[in-house]
């Protein structure tokens, strides 16, 4: 029997040796896909005949949420560019598996790879070094390389609009936010939402407080629901917005409404969730990644984007581009339900005085006016595609010497992040990254001066809450 | 009237291995057929994908994880000590390696840095496993429960670090540390996502663990401890020490893998769930597929690694992710049947 | 009229042939003895009848509705359904339940119905038991009686006793035999497995002798045969030394190698099982502790060896207090304990013979050492690479004994070493104990067998109720009578 065991050991060793040899072979002889044939340069570069694009998703495609939204985008561009575009996707790709999946895609001949989670950033970046002829685009991160660009569609303006409605509707003056993580992106959304609610609340004589609970996960229906329940039961909150990838909070509010008649207003996140809570969803945020994908792929096809010039490609698309939208439902004819018809009469019956114009309007019109203001910024989109031009995004206008048009508008005529604003630092010392908080202790006061508009960098590095946001902790 | 009965049998190890191997291959064949019949996916497409994955070295990235952890678990399981805590031990190894690489001057030194980090990782994993080991050895606390719970404690500890004191300066608030210095990184083989050195280390443990378990007095005692603790005790070998040793070894190997995940893959400490990623649990299956035999562990780890990798890359066209999961599930189910077949036979008598 | 017959049964375990083409029938109303030396295939045979093993070839015929029909049992449950019940060496009872509940569980009847059946069984077979006692509180002997009542209450057609009486004291054995005869007289059949020739002669109508898996001969009570004929069939040749002979006396040297002072040890239920003022084992001598089973022998051995905690008193090994040392430490210091049950605490069944030897080899293990250990007590089969569970109980016991010498013990505690052994093996073991003493080892022989004790020991203590009631030198006149008297007076 020892003999058989030794045979087993031998088998094991042989397998080991074979694997070792294969590995050594792989080390010494780089695979053909990765061998740089000719260094891509401006003069010799030929755009690909056929673009093969692969999309890597962190979650399941499902019917809702982040990965679903990207998949919608993929299908849209696939239909749009069917002549020359071939796409594929891999779902449920975790952080520890991302690099191997990229290896596989490159071997299968994909020349454009989109990775859509912050978890994929480091593997994508490292793989970009390994495969210099493949173009990588990463969503939600900050690392770029000659063959790796970044893109993002941000929702803060939409959250501001949601906040206006929350401020109009709340009876307790206490509104809630369930956050996945308190990273700058979500902090920005919370602040925008709080600014909207406060703005409307002040006009209506309400004292607004925003309660935030962090759940530490992008997708966790149970935790999200419990956080919402805590907000409602413990903090008397009656309007909730959230960053979490499921419809769980919407369903919670709906069941609360059906079972006890208690009205908690909810703002649907990322995907149209109206159908999960027709009695509670007021409005929400929608994303259209196809706007960005169509732009990137068109530029890849035309040779504008090459594997050597993506270093500064950084999309930062807002309401003005159509990549994000206010709404909670898509009707069968393709139009967007921006505000639930159930709540439209209520919002229209609330009258406020617009401080900008002095005219008395309904809360509903007030929201729509702001929406229009942020929608219309014709110069802005040109600045939103590269990292080098982000600095101009916050310019309200540029002056010319011409008499007829002395000023040319750049940024939208309204933006929620404009002073006067007061806040407090979440982080301090070396941990903080914004110009307001770095080097200062935690909880230091943040002051944005009257008329000062926050820049792209300020938005990216937001590590402070406005005064009336109360952070209740992480579950 | 013919009677059918199921009877235990003992196949010699080689034959048992052959039966399992055959069943493993047949299982894949049957799974391919079922998929093409039930879901109408072209059988050839699936076969191409499956065979391709098995023949490509990509899955070595997982073999490097599953092989050492499986070997370590085999040591504990031979003594019938149910260490279900490989996941947590991997995470603690990762924490230790990240500490050495990020916060000690060693991290900046080539070769020495990674070696020190891996050593610290093994130690951390071993110590993490030692706690349930000591509780079991001295207070007879059920180790299955403690090791299982320690997984979540390890997650929490790691998460506390990445959310709190170790959070990086350049991660924009994400729960991660900064990247480890280049000197500490284990570089990838071009076109793949693993380091040849990690592979060498992983394979080197196969003969070491084999010889330990089958050729030494202590190893033999470990294998006997589970069924007859008193008999082992009476041979002059302390049962308490055996328990502690078994936990130490299995924890050290899991910790080593955790350290390697940081140096070779993540290059930074990330939340615990993303380091372990359930691989500590999958390793339990690796250990048992090899029937706890270290000599067969490379085969078992190879098989599971390939399937693990296959799940992610299989998705092409109609082969969606759920189909891939269905496929893998089917393969494992058939493998279970094969284990049954190698241990029992069906007798029909008139 | 035959009840059951085995036809051409063959069973292999790997390379070991346990049974080789055995054909055997049992008549109704007959007690058939199956006699054989250790490892001759007796247990395998019963396990095949009882559905634990399936034969590689051959089949079983059972009288069903008046005709002999082929039967195939793949589990003990199926054998039970055909009216076959087995009692083995170890009671198969639930400790936490009462005697009655255990039997009700076995029969599948209500408690009330079971009580009636049990009462009638006990009166019919003349067995006295408290049916409401908790099994956990019973002694081994009582538990075996419960097994007997349980089996008889089932009203089986065939009762198999696999060495079931081996551990029983003489008087209980007699009651067992009586019950078996009653059972046979009302038409029941019995297969009685044993390795003790006297046992077989006492109770069996016919005796089938197995040797190395083959059926050698069937002796019938009607035939005229001598014990030597039986021995010859069992061991192939009549060893002239098998007759009880006195092993030569050794002179006790000076020096106490093991000393227990005021030792108190509790049993599994927290009762005081051992309470000893002083017990001394001298270097180079065999000190025997003899007594009726269940008088604290096991607890004494475990208390001395360290498997069981001493609640009072101390244990001194070669001048060193080892009361607080664990069993493993005492073993490595030279106090080796060979328990009576090799299955549970002696040998690791999952390991091979060689690996079990390696456990006791502190240095490198050479194949010569392995050979020596195997040949010392003629372990069969002499193949170091087979798994230990393929060995018979007797061979396991031999392995447990002979490898112990590898640790170079200063003192050996040996509990009932020969109970599972046939005569030839017993003698070898006795010689081994004497030989160890001659080499300077202190041997503590704890046994229930007066003959064995008188054969081997230099000094004999009688244990009763956990106390040493008498200690006599081996040269004492009227030794046997004194011991028997002490055993019966204090028990």
């Amino acid at each position: 029997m020892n003999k058989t065991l030794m045979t087993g050991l031998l088998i094991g060793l042989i397998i080991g040796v074979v694997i070792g040899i294969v590995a050594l072979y792989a080390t010494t002889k780089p695979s053909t896909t990765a061998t740089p044939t000719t260094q891509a340069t401006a003069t010799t570069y030929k755009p690909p005949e056929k673009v093969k694009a692969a999309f890597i998703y962190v979650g399941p495609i499902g019917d809702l949420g982040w990965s679903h939204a990207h998949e919608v985008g993929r299908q849209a561009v696939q239909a749009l560019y069917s002549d020359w575009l071939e796409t594929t996707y891999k779902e449920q790709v975790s952080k520890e598996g991302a690099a191997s999946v990229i290896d596989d895609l490159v071997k299968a001949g994909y020349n454009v790879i989109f990775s859509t989670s912050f978890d994929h950033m480091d593997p994508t970046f490292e793989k970009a070094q390994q495969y210099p002829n493949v173009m990588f685009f990463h969503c939600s991160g900050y690392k770029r390389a000659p063959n790796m660009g970044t893109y993002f569609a941000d929702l803060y303006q939409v959250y501001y609009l949601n906040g206006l409605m929350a401020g109009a509707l709340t009876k307790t003056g206490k509104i809630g936010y369930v956050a996945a993580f308190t990273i700058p992106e979500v902090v920005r959304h919370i602040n925008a939402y709080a600014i909207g609610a406060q703005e409307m609340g002040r006009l209506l004589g309400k004292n607004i407080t925003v309660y935030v609970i962090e759940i530490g996960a992008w997708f966790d229906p149970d935790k999200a629901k419990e956080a919402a329940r805590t907000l409602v039961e413990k903090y008397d909150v009656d309007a909730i917005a959230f960053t979490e990838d499921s419809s769980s909070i919407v369903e919670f509010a709906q069941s609360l409404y059906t079972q006890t008649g208690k009205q908690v207003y909810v703002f649907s996140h990322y995907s149209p969730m109206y159908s999960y809570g027709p009695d509670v969803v007021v409005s929400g945020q929608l994303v259209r990644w196809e706007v960005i994908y169509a732009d990137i792929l068109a530029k890849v096809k035309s040779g504008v984007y090459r594997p050597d010039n993506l270093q500064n490609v950084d999309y930062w698309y807002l309401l003005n581009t159509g990549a994000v939208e206010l709404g909670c439902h898509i009707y069968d004819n393709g139009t967007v339900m921006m505000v639930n018809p159930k709540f439209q009469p209520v919002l229209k019956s609330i009258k406020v005085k617009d401080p900008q114009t002095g005219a008395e309007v309904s809360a509903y019109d007030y929201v729509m006016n702001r929406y229009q203001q942020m929608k219309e910024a014709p110069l802005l989109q040109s600045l939103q595609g590269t990292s080098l031009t982000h600095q101009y995004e916050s310019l309200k206008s540029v002056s010319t010497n011409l008499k007829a048009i002395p000023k040319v508008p750049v940024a939208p005529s309204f933006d929620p992040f404009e002073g006067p604003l007061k806040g407090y630092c979440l982080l301090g010392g070396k941990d903080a990254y914004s110009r307001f908080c770095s080097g200062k202790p935690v909880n230091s006061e943040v002051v944005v001066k009257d008329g000062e508009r926050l820049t792209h960098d300020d938005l990216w590095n937001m590590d402070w809450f406005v005064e009336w946001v109360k952070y209740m902790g992480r579950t | 009237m013919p009677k059918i009965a199921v009877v235990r049998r003992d196949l010699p190890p080689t034959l048992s291995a052959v039966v399992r191997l055959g069943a493993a291959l047949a299982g894949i064949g049957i799974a391919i057929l079922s998929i093409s019949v039930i879901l109408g996916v072209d059988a050839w497409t699936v076969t191409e994908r499956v065979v391709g994955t098995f023949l490509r070295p990509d899955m070595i990235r997982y073999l490097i994880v599953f092989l050492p952890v499986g070997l370590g678990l085999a040591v504990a399981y031979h003594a019938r000590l149910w260490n279900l805590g490989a996941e947590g031990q991997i995470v603690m190894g990762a924490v230790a390696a990240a500490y050495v690489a990020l916060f000690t001057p060693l991290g900046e030194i080539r070769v020495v840095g990674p070696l020190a980090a891996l050593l610290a990782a093994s130690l951390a994993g071993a110590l993490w496993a030692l706690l349930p080991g000591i509780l079991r050895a001295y207070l007879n606390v059920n180790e299955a429960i403690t090791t299982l719970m320690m997984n979540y404690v390890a997650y929490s500890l790691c998460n506390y670090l990445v959310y709190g004191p170790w959070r990086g300066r350049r991660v924009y608030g994400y729960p991660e540390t900064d990247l480890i210095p280049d000197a500490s990184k284990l570089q990838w083989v071009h076109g793949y996502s693993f380091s040849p050195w990690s592979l060498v280390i992983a394979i080197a443990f196969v003969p070491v663990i084999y010889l330990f378990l089958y050729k030494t007095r202590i190893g033999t005692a470990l294998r006997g401890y589970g069924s007859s603790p008193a008999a082992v005790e009476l041979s002059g070998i302390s049962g308490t020490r055996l328990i502690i040793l078994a936990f130490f070894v299995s924890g050290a190997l899991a910790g080593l893998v955790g350290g390697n995940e940081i140096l070779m893959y993540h290059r930074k400490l990330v939340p615990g769930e993303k380091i372990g990623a359930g691989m500590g649990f999958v390793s339990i299956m690796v250990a048992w597929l090899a029937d706890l035999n270290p000599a067969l562990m490379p085969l078992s780890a190879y098989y599971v690694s390939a399937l693990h990798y296959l799940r992610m890359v299989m998705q092409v066209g109609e082969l969606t992710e759920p189909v891939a999961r269905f496929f893998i599930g089917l393969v494992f189910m058939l493998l279970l049947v094969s284990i049954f077949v190698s241990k029992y036979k069906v007798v029909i008598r008139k | 009229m035959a009840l059951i017959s085995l036809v051409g049964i063959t069973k292999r375990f790997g390379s070991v042939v346990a049974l080789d083409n055995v054909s055997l029938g049992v008549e109704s109303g007959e007690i058939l003895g199956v006699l054989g030396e250790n490892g001759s295939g007796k247990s395998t045979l019963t396990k095949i009848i009882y559905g634990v093993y399936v034969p590689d070839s051959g089949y079983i015929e059972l009288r069903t509705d008046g005709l002999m029909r082929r039967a195939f049992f793949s589990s003990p449950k199926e054998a039970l359904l055909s009216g076959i019940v087995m009692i083995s060496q170890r009671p198969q009872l639930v400790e936490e339940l009462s005697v009655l509940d255990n039997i009700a569980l076995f029969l599948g009847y209500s408690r009330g119905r079971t009580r009636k059946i049990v009462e009638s069984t006990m009166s019919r077979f003349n067995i006295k038991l408290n049916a409401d006692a908790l099994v956990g509180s019973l002694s081994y002997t009582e538990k075996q009686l419960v097994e007997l009542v349980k089996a008889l209450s089932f009203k089986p057609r065939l009762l198999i006793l696999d060495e079931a009486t081996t551990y029983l004291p003489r008087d209980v054995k007699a009651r067992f035999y009586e019950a078996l005869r009653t059972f046979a007289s009302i038409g029941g059949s019995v297969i009685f497995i044993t390795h003790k020739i006297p046992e077989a002669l006492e109770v069996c109508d016919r005796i089938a002798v197995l040797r190395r898996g083959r059926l050698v001969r069937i002796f019938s009570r009607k035939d005229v045969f001598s014990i030597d004929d039986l021995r010859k069939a069992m061991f192939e040749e009549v060893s002239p030394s098998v007759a009880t002979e006195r092993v030569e006396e050794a002179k006790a040297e000076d020096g106490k190698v093991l000393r227990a002072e005021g030792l108190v040890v509790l049993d599994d239920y927290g009762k005081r099982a051992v309470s000893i003022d002083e017990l001394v084992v001298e270097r180079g001598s065999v000190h025997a502790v003899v007594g009726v089973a269940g008088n604290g022998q096991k607890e004494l051995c475990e208390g001395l060896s360290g498997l069981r905690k001493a609640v009072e008193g101390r244990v001194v090994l070669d001048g060193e207090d080892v009361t607080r040392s664990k069993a493993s430490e005492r073993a490595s210091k030279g106090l080796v304990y060979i328990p009576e049950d090799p299955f549970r605490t002696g040998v690791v069944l999952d390991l091979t013979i060689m690996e079990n030897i390696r456990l006791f080899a502190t240095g490198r293990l050479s194949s010569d050492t392995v050979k020596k250990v195997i040949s010392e007590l003629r372990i069969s089969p002499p193949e170091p690479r087979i798994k230990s569970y393929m060995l018979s109980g007797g061979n396991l016991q031999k392995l447990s004994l002979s490898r112990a010498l590898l640790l170079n013990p200063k003192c050996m505690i040996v509990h009932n070493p020969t109970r599972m052994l046939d005569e030839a093996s017993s003698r070898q073991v006795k010689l081994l104990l004497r030989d160890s003493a001659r080499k300077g080892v202190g041997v503590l022989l704890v046994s229930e067998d007066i003959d064995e004790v008188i054969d081997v020991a230099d000094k004999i203590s009688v244990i009763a109720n956990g106390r040493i009631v008498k200690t006599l030198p081996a040269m004492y006149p009227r030794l046997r009578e004194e011991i028997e008297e002490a055993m019966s007076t204090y028990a």
Side-chain angles (χ1 to χ4, degrees), chain C residues 408-424:
Chain C
N408 296 322
K410 291 175 186 165
C411 179
M412 287 166 80
I413 303 169
V414 192
H415 190 194
N416 285 335
T418 63
R419 190 166 55 178
M420 295 180 118
L421 302 184
D422 54 62
E423 287 181 21

Side-chain angles (χ1 to χ4, degrees), chain C residues 185-405:
Chain C
S185 71
I186 55 172
S189 304
V190 178
I191 296 179
F192 189 88
I193 311 285
T194 183
H195 59 257
K196 304 257 184 211
I197 295 172
E199 278 196 352
L201 283 175
E202 197 173 342
V203 71
C204 300
D205 301 317
R206 287 193 301 155
I207 301 170
V209 179
L210 285 179
R211 190 172 69 224
R212 287 183 211 148
R214 286 170 196 260
L215 179 64
V216 183
R217 192 177 149 184
I218 300 178
F219 295 88
S220 175
R221 215 166 249 293
K222 287 166 253 165
D223 305 341
V224 179
F225 62 90
S226 69
I227 289 189
D228 273 353
D229 291 338
L230 262 181
R231 285 204 177 111
K232 198 169 174 183
M234 242 177 114
F235 301 111
E236 201 157 15
E237 61 190 56
V238 181
S239 150
S241 52
V242 163
T244 329
E245 60 164 45
R246 244 191 128 69
V247 256
E248 72 256 50
E249 199 112 355
K251 288 178 196 78
E253 290 169 24
D254 260 4
K256 300 165 179 176
V257 69
L258 182 71
R259 197 171 82 238
E261 288 169 8
L263 186 68
V264 175
V265 183
L266 305 181
D267 66 8
D268 293 343
Y269 313 103
K271 282 189 293 193
R272 235 170 218 243
V274 173
S275 180
I276 283 175
D277 296 332
E278 189 176 44
L279 181 68
V280 175
V281 180
E282 313 243 330
R283 209 181 301 279
S285 79
V286 178
H287 187 143
V289 172
V290 68
V292 177
N295 271 289
Q297 288 96 325
K298 186 178 154 211
E299 288 80 3
L300 172 66
C301 293
E302 293 188 349
L304 291 173
S305 66
L307 278 186
R308 206 174 277 266
K309 241 199 267 172
V311 288
E312 278 173 39
R314 19 185 243 139
V315 177
V316 180
L317 174 69
D318 204 17
E320 185 186 351
D321 190 332
V322 292
T323 318
R324 297 191 177 281
S325 307
K326 296 193 309 169
S328 54
E329 290 168 49
R330 295 190 202 185
S332 27
K333 283 174 183 161
L335 178 63
V336 175
Y337 168 41
I338 297 127
E340 61 170 340
D341 184 352
F343 291 98
R344 278 202 187 161
T345 40
V347 172
V348 182
L349 298 179
D350 287 349
L351 298 182
T352 64
I353 295 181
M354 186 170 80
E355 285 170 337
N356 268 295
I357 296 170
R358 182 182 290 131
L359 289 180
F360 281 73
T362 42
R364 242 189 94 79
L365 181 67
S366 70
S367 57
D368 287 345
T369 318
V370 175
K371 267 184 210 150
K372 196 172 150 261
V373 172
I374 289 175
S375 60
E376 180 111 44
L377 289 175
R378 281 199 247 150
I379 292 165
S380 147
E383 291 170 44
R385 295 185 197 287
I386 64 165
K387 294 259 186 193
S388 305
Y389 62 77
M390 289 182 187
L391 294 182
S392 69
N395 278 301
L396 284 177
Q397 183 68 289
K398 290 197 243 173
L399 173 61
S400 181
L401 275 158
S402 66
R403 66 172 182 178
L405 301 177

